[in-house]
Amino acid sequence: MSESFDFPKADVFWPGTEGPRGQRVFFIAGGSNGELVYLRCEKQQVAALGEYLLALLEDLAPDVEPAEGHGEVTPLPFEWTIGSIGVKYDEPEERVVVVVEELTEDDEKPATARFCFTLAQAAAFARFALELVAQGRPTCGLCGEPMDPEGHVCPRMN
C-alpha cells in the first residue's frame, strides 16, 4: 500500500502539467511546511475539480479574491495516481477539504491524501486549473478533434 497524507492547513494546492501538448501528464501538488506531494491525475479530473470549486465558491463566497498562485510547479516523482476525488466545505474552519483516493487494483486498500485550504486558495486553483486545461492542443475547425503538431487526419475530409 502507498503512503497516505493529511494536510489540515495546506499552504500549497496547485495543478500542473509535465510534457508537450498532446502528451501532457497532469498532476496536483499539495502540502504544507515545506512537505509537498505530487499526485498524478487525468486532465478531466483537473477540469472537473476546477469547475466544481468555481461552483462551490459561487454559492459560498462569490466575491472572494483568488490567492496569489504558485505558478509553475515541477513535479518530483509522483507518489501515486489519483482514482477518486471528494470535496466538502468545513464551515467552522472556513476551509475547503479535498480528499483524493489512490487508483488501485480491486483487492488493494487505497491510500488517501487530504488537503484543507482557504476559499482564496480554492479560487486560485480553480481559475488556474481551467486555464491549464484550455492550453491543450488546438482543435480542428471541421471535426472538433484535437490536432497534433505534425498534422491531423480529419474524418470530414474524405
Side-chain angles (χ1 to χ4, degrees), residues 49-62 87-90 95-98 117 119 122:
L49 183 55
E51 290 168 2
Y52 187 85
L53 289 175
L54 280 182
L56 181 66
L57 290 166
E58 187 63 34
D59 288 343
L60 294 173
V87 180
K88 76 171 194 165
Y89 179 62
D90 182 349
R95 293 177 99 56
V96 174
V97 179
V98 173
F117 47 90
L119 295 174

Side-chain angles (χ1 to χ4, degrees), residues 86-107:
V87 180
K88 76 171 194 165
Y89 179 62
D90 182 349
E91 193 168 355
E93 295 290 324
E94 295 184 340
R95 293 177 99 56
V96 174
V97 179
V98 173
V99 178
V100 297
E101 193 171 84
E102 179 184 21
L103 180 65
T104 61
E105 299 297 323
D106 292 334
D107 57 342

Side-chain angles (χ1 to χ4, degrees), residues 17-67:
T17 63
E18 180 177 60
R21 288 184 196 184
Q23 299 173 354
R24 294 186 298 174
V25 173
F26 283 77
F27 64 89
I28 293 174
S32 60
N33 299 322
E35 180 188 2
L36 288 178
V37 296
Y38 300 91
L39 305 172
R40 187 182 188 288
C41 60
E42 296 294 329
K43 176 181 178 179
Q44 293 84 354
Q45 290 172 308
V46 170
L49 183 55
E51 290 168 2
Y52 187 85
L53 289 175
L54 280 182
L56 181 66
L57 290 166
E58 187 63 34
D59 288 343
L60 294 173
D63 298 327
V64 69
E65 286 295 317

